[in-house]
Amino acid sequence: MLTVAVDPPSISQLAWRCRRGMLELDLLLQGFLERGYASLSADDQRAFVALLGAEDAVLLEYLLGRMRPADPALARVVAAIRRAAVA
């Protein structure tokens, strides 16, 4: 089986993906990208990228604390975003 290495997205690509069209999400995600993303482990950075694939409504529920992702890596990143928003 052939595996292809995929380069992680650039910060500018992530910034574009953080633009959701919902002010609350834009502020939380873009703020975290600017202030907290770089301090994440490589695994958590991949989880952040995966989190950006969630639908806006689900993502908002996660970030407001009304729902918790079943995946522990996603839950860890959501918690980091929430902590950064309070700081």
Side-chain angles (χ1 to χ4, degrees), residues 3-37:
T3 57
V4 178
V6 177
D7 290 331
S10 68
I11 294 297
S12 62
Q13 290 169 322
L14 288 174
W16 182 255
R17 292 191 60 199
C18 286
R19 295 180 59 185
R20 306 301 282 226
M22 184 183 297
L23 181 60
E24 295 86 350
L25 287 177
D26 289 354
L27 293 173
L28 288 168
L29 294 173
Q30 290 176 349
F32 182 75
L33 182 64
E34 292 169 7
R35 294 183 297 280
Y37 176 79

Side-chain angles (χ1 to χ4, degrees), residues 37-83:
Y37 176 79
S39 66
L40 294 177
S41 68
D43 287 341
D44 284 350
Q45 287 182 354
R46 284 189 289 278
F48 179 78
V49 172
L51 185 66
L52 294 178
E55 294 182 25
D56 287 356
V58 172
L59 192 51
L60 185 62
E61 293 297 309
Y62 288 161
L63 296 178
L64 293 179
R66 295 185 214 160
M67 288 175 45
R68 189 169 199 272
D71 181 317
L74 293 181
R76 207 170 37 250
V77 171
V78 166
I81 296 169
R82 289 175 49 97
R83 278 192 306 274

